[in-house]
Amino acid sequence: MTMTKTNSTASAIPSTSRRGFLKTSATFSGGLMVGFTLPLGGPAQAAGLMHTPSAWVHIADDNTITLISARAEMGQGVYTSMPMLVAEELNVDIQKVKVAFAPPGKVYGNALIYGLQLTGGSTSVREGYDKLRLAGAQVREMLITAAANRWNADASTLKAENGVVIGPKRGQRATYGQLADDASRIPVPEKPAMKDPSQFRIVGKRTTRLDTPAKVNGSAKFSIDTRLPGMVYASIAMSPVQGGKVKSFDASKAKAAKGVVDVVQIPDGIAVVADTYWHAVKARELLSVQWDEGANANLTTQAMFDGTRAALASGKPIGLKKEGDADALVAAASKVVRAEYLTQNLSHAPMEPMNFTAHYEGDRIRLIGSTQWPDAVQGAVAKMLELKVENVAVENTFLGGGFGRRIDFDYILQAAQIAKAVPNKPVKLIWSREDDMQHDFYRPMAVHQLAAALGADGKPAALTWRVASQSVTARAFNLPPEAPDALMTEAGVPLYDIPAARHDVVKHDAGIRVGYWRAVSHNMNAFANETFIDECAAAAGTDPVAYRMALLDKHPRMISVLKQAADKSGWGTPAAAGRFRGVALMEGYDTYMAQVAEISMKDGVPVVHKVTVVADLGAMVNPDTVEAQIQSSVIFGLSGALWGEITVDKGRVQQFNFDSFRVMRNNEAPLIDITLVQSREKPGGIGEPATALVGPAVGNAMFAATGKRLRRMPFTAANVAQA
């Protein structure tokens, strides 16, 4: 991997409120605690104890330092990157600290997602970069002040490093733990001195992930690893048609089966509770359920696409951008490029299927498992079970994949309902792989229609862009139909300089339930935009890279990544025999990225050999994790682009498992060549953009290989044949 440098400026440090930043708790006597922590793998916490006005650092008397990760760890590396930000300013060895997942609390809110305690949108580093460094600097200054008071010394003569404050006189040393109690009585400094990035010893350096040893030796606790004394297990039968309900059922055979504790009806279906998961699954097979299949009983994928396409003309467009009269210019132009693009429904398909453990006792419930949104879980369960919020304890674990699926928490509500019906017993609800794939909140399908009027120079003089798709935000947050949904329009307006443009969106409910899927609408919009600009380049008879370069004069960061990607991939030089290249680029999540895919064709479908990625994401916390995120995003995106599709017939999802919903395997993975641009611009997100770009890059390479333009994903033999 090659590193290149760019000139930039560091982002400003925001001021912070003193309100309740420091809280001393009787739970930890004699310690400095900025907040309250739930130690990972520690003793069980009673419901009602999770009150945290702030929670980033805990320093115990024995000098054990615990740093808090307020974002869910689902493989993206926040268990390491978040503590790195605190440790940098606190001057402690990141490999010697402990890390705990944050309990529900407003202080853990994500300022980039309306203050919700939600992990998503590639926001973790972007939102935490300044905030967590500030927290570390504040605690450092409080410790130094405590030592200065103890030694009657000038604080400016003291320094704090490696868990120790050192004074000006020989032998003046005190550990952070020895000073913690005194420091807890000192007012929190609002504007502590913070390091210039040139002084960083941790942030920006390659750092071994703190969760790697536990994940290698098996001691890391995922949701499905939860074990509690007296635990029972639940398996739930849900309607084969989304939206369907139980009409009637006979549970007599299931209740008589081995190990069965109870059979429970909840709004989502019939749950069998047994002493083992296997017993619960086998007894569930003995249920006789009559379903009211509801309004979706005759739903098909073709009808969904037809309705979505029709909505482009009949629906009410919501404006995104308008410059000049693009429609009139396109209508009057002598050379016009028009195209329609389709993107499919996709399942999140995390390796760990949905599961959660709930223990209901008296007027309290304890919930253990993996979620991307713990404070919403706490509030929703409290409302549903009519409990006080403080009597709902939520303990997060490592996530065996999220990709947006664990923002929704239907499975957690199910576990809580079952636990209430079987009180005083911890109940672990486990969905099978088939349950998980057939009852997902799927990536929405979309239909794009674009047109461009090309001038005498071949460049677009005017462009129109309209997409019809389903609004996830309308479902998840009750967004009104007429309100714009920013999560439908990501990457909808690329950075190309086009004099006249009209971009708008039509919301259309296709009938299936949808959710946020890794890179959300960047996936659909980047595919349409980057394929279409390639079509324009072809119509103009211009090289695709040169064509893009000519439209990016105002965006030097994008020009930089595009030029480097072209150079690194060998663009403009002959590829190996039978191989072809395609390019795509995008700004998303404040990250500028270009990709070049190199493919060959075999049996009518593409084989991806190499993907060259150049990313400028501003300031980085852990370059090692950044690379891993890009690699995983490319693989994830390729799975969807090459094979992935959820189809519906008679209201039933047709894919049950990974035999019919393929994901990329090790032997199919391409070489991924990554260049990270060194920058001091504000941090950008990196967990998602590569997912959105690899599809159009491969599609454009297929055009170079075959002369066929792939306007529909996935790139299966059937879709290639119809192109």
Side-chain angles (χ1 to χ4, degrees):
M1 189 208 66
T2 304
M3 309 288 281
T4 57
K5 296 187 70 174
T6 62
N7 295 322
S8 61
T9 57
S11 54
I13 306 299
S15 61
T16 186
S17 167
R18 295 169 60 97
R19 181 182 60 83
F21 187 85
L22 187 67
K23 181 180 179 181
T24 319
S25 169
T27 307
F28 299 94
S29 61
L32 170 63
M33 184 169 66
V34 181
F36 178 86
T37 72
L38 176 65
L40 196 61
Q45 293 288 334
L49 296 181
M50 301 299 194
H51 291 288
T52 59
S54 186
W56 308 116
V57 182
H58 171 233
I59 303 174
D61 288 346
D62 64 359
N63 213 33
T64 298
I65 299 172
T66 302
L67 305 181
I68 309 306
S69 177
R71 301 289 165 256
E73 175 57 75
M74 47 190 169
Q76 82 279 35
V78 295
Y79 190 83
T80 303
S81 60
M82 299 293 95
M84 284 174 68
L85 291 163
V86 180
E88 179 65 71
E89 297 289 346
L90 196 56
N91 286 333
V92 294
D93 184 348
I94 188 65
Q95 297 295 337
K96 294 181 180 179
V97 303
K98 295 183 177 180
V99 183
F101 293 127
K106 289 183 178 180
V107 69
Y108 301 116
N110 188 330
L112 295 181
I113 312 181
Y114 309 109
L116 305 172
Q117 191 181 348
L118 196 156
T119 304
S122 294
T123 58
S124 295
V125 168
R126 288 191 289 158
E127 193 266 347
Y129 189 81
D130 294 331
K131 178 174 72 177
L132 298 183
R133 288 173 51 219
L134 179 65
Q138 287 172 320
V139 175
R140 183 192 70 233
E141 287 204 1
M142 293 159 71
L143 291 164
I144 287 175
T145 300
N149 292 342
R150 178 177 294 188
W151 299 327
N152 195 25
D154 185 342
S156 65
T157 65
L158 279 60
K159 62 180 180 179
E161 58 185 17
N162 296 322
V164 176
V165 176
I166 302 171
K169 296 181 180 179
R170 179 184 292 271
Q172 280 187 328
R173 297 170 59 88
T175 67
Y176 289 0
Q178 290 168 338
L179 295 167
D181 189 41
D182 290 345
S184 68
R185 295 170 172 77
I186 294 170
V188 179
E190 291 188 12
K191 296 181 179 180
M194 296 178 66
K195 295 180 181 179
D196 182 85
S198 63
Q199 300 174 300
F200 286 169
R201 295 185 294 179
I202 298 173
V203 172
K205 314 300 181 186
R206 291 182 174 273
T207 301
T208 302
R209 286 179 56 145
L210 301 180
D211 51 351
T212 297
K215 288 178 176 177
V216 170
N217 66 30
S219 62
K221 299 300 182 186
F222 292 83
S223 181
I224 208 163
D225 296 321
T226 302
R227 299 286 187 275
L228 296 175
M231 177 180 286
V232 293
Y233 298 80
S235 179
I236 184 169
M238 293 176 279
S239 171
V241 176
Q242 283 196 3
K245 301 293 182 184
V246 174
K247 184 186 298 182
S248 64
F249 72 100
D250 181 353
S252 56
K253 291 182 179 179
K255 287 183 177 179
K258 182 178 181 180
V260 171
V261 174
D262 203 351
V263 176
V264 177
Q265 182 176 4
I266 63 173
D268 285 350
I270 309 298
V272 177
V273 183
D275 58 348
T276 69
Y277 175 63
W278 182 244
H279 286 159
V281 169
K282 298 306 290 181
R284 170 182 155 183
E285 294 174 357
L286 300 175
L287 289 171
S288 176
V289 185
Q290 299 298 314
W291 300 99
D292 176 356
E293 296 183 353
N296 286 339
N298 295 311
L299 191 67
T300 67
T301 294
Q302 187 59 53
M304 292 165 66
F305 268 123
D306 289 345
T308 303
R309 180 182 291 108
L312 286 165
S314 63
K316 183 178 180 181
I318 299 172
L320 177 60
K321 176 185 178 181
K322 183 174 175 60
E323 288 186 12
D325 193 343
D327 288 280
L329 290 170
V330 169
S334 58
K335 188 169 187 178
V336 177
V337 180
R338 298 181 187 274
E340 179 181 272
Y341 304 92
L342 282 69
T343 50
Q344 73 280 38
N345 290 124
L346 286 169
S347 173
H348 296 84
M351 291 297 104
E352 179 188 22
M354 300 304 104
N355 69 95
F356 224 80
T357 298
H359 190 185
Y360 186 92
E361 290 184 298
D363 62 350
R364 298 172 182 268
I365 190 167
R366 182 186 181 197
L367 301 165
I368 307 173
S370 56
T371 173
Q372 291 177 240
W373 198 0
D375 60 339
V377 167
Q378 185 182 51
V381 170
K383 181 178 180 180
M384 180 183 68
L385 300 185
E386 298 181 334
L387 298 175
K388 295 178 180 178
V389 172
E390 58 266 29
N391 286 353
V392 179
V394 181
E395 302 170 32
N396 215 353
T397 65
F398 288 114
L399 281 63
F403 316 121
R405 175 58 178 96
R406 285 181 162 96
I407 290 174
D408 282 294
F409 44 83
D410 50 319
Y411 59 101
I412 305 176
L413 299 181
Q414 291 175 352
Q417 290 168 327
I418 298 166
K420 185 176 181 180
V422 189
N424 305 316
K425 295 178 184 292
V427 179
K428 182 193 286 189
L429 171 66
I430 303 176
W431 285 18
S432 68
R433 172 61 58 199
E434 290 75 13
D435 294 333
D436 194 78
M437 194 162 288
Q438 296 198 304
H439 296 87
D440 200 351
F441 290 82
Y442 304 98
R443 188 186 82 172
M445 63 169 49
V447 179
H448 286 81
Q449 290 179 351
L450 289 90
L454 302 190
D457 59 359
K459 296 179 182 179
L463 181 143
T464 62
W465 177 94
R466 178 171 293 172
V467 60
S469 187
Q470 211 158 336
S471 170
V472 179
T473 311
R475 175 195 64 78
F477 294 94
N478 296 314
L479 189 71
E482 68 279 3
D485 181 356
L487 293 172
M488 291 180 70
T489 59
E490 300 160 311
V493 181
L495 299 181
Y496 301 119
D497 185 12
I498 299 173
R502 185 263 298 160
H503 293 70
D504 52 35
V505 176
V506 174
K507 294 182 182 179
H508 174 72
D509 187 345
I512 201 169
R513 72 181 192 179
V514 294
Y516 300 117
W517 193 90
R518 190 176 191 175
V520 198
S521 59
H522 291 87
N523 291 294
M524 295 88 84
N525 297 338
F527 172 61
N529 282 325
E530 282 303 291
T531 306
F532 186 69
I533 204 70
D534 231 61
E535 296 208 43
C536 291
T542 305
D543 173 81
V545 169
Y547 194 79
R548 287 169 169 83
M549 286 282 192
L551 299 173
L552 291 169
D553 288 342
K554 299 175 183 177
H555 302 282
R557 292 176 74 184
M558 190 63 86
I559 288 177
S560 173
V561 295
L562 177 56
K563 185 178 186 304
Q564 291 184 66
D567 291 344
K568 285 284 181 181
S569 65
W571 191 276
T573 64
R579 294 195 182 184
F580 303 87
R581 302 185 184 108
V583 65
L585 55 85
M586 182 186 76
E587 181 279 319
Y589 309 101
D590 295 325
T591 288
Y592 295 76
M593 180 179 288
Q595 289 188 21
V596 174
E598 185 173 305
I599 71 156
S600 64
M601 299 296 293
K602 182 179 181 182
D603 300 327
V605 294
V607 177
V608 184
H609 299 282
K610 181 181 179 182
V611 179
T612 301
V613 184
V614 179
D616 177 356
L617 58 149
M620 291 177 278
V621 175
N622 188 355
D624 184 68
T625 298
V626 169
E627 285 186 1
Q629 281 286 75
I630 292 173
Q631 291 163 346
S632 74
S633 292
V634 168
I635 299 299
F636 195 83
L638 281 173
S639 296
L642 299 178
W643 309 296
E645 185 169 20
I646 290 294
T647 57
V648 177
D649 185 47
K650 294 181 180 179
R652 290 159 169 78
V653 170
Q654 300 300 291
Q655 289 70 32
F656 288 79
N657 213 312
F658 290 121
D659 58 336
S660 53
F661 188 86
R662 279 191 63 187
V663 295
M664 180 163 275
R665 292 167 170 79
N666 284 344
N667 65 308
E668 298 168 316
L671 171 67
I672 303 173
D673 181 17
I674 300 171
T675 297
L676 303 178
V677 176
Q678 288 294 299
S679 172
R680 290 180 63 179
E681 295 283 356
K682 66 178 182 178
I686 200 58
E688 300 175 84
T691 296
L693 272 186
V694 71
V698 171
N700 291 336
M702 293 173 68
F703 174 75
T706 66
K708 289 185 174 184
R709 183 64 67 180
L710 273 296
R711 300 189 182 100
R712 179 170 181 168
M713 286 189 180
F715 303 145
T716 58
N719 285 342
V720 173
Q722 293 174 12

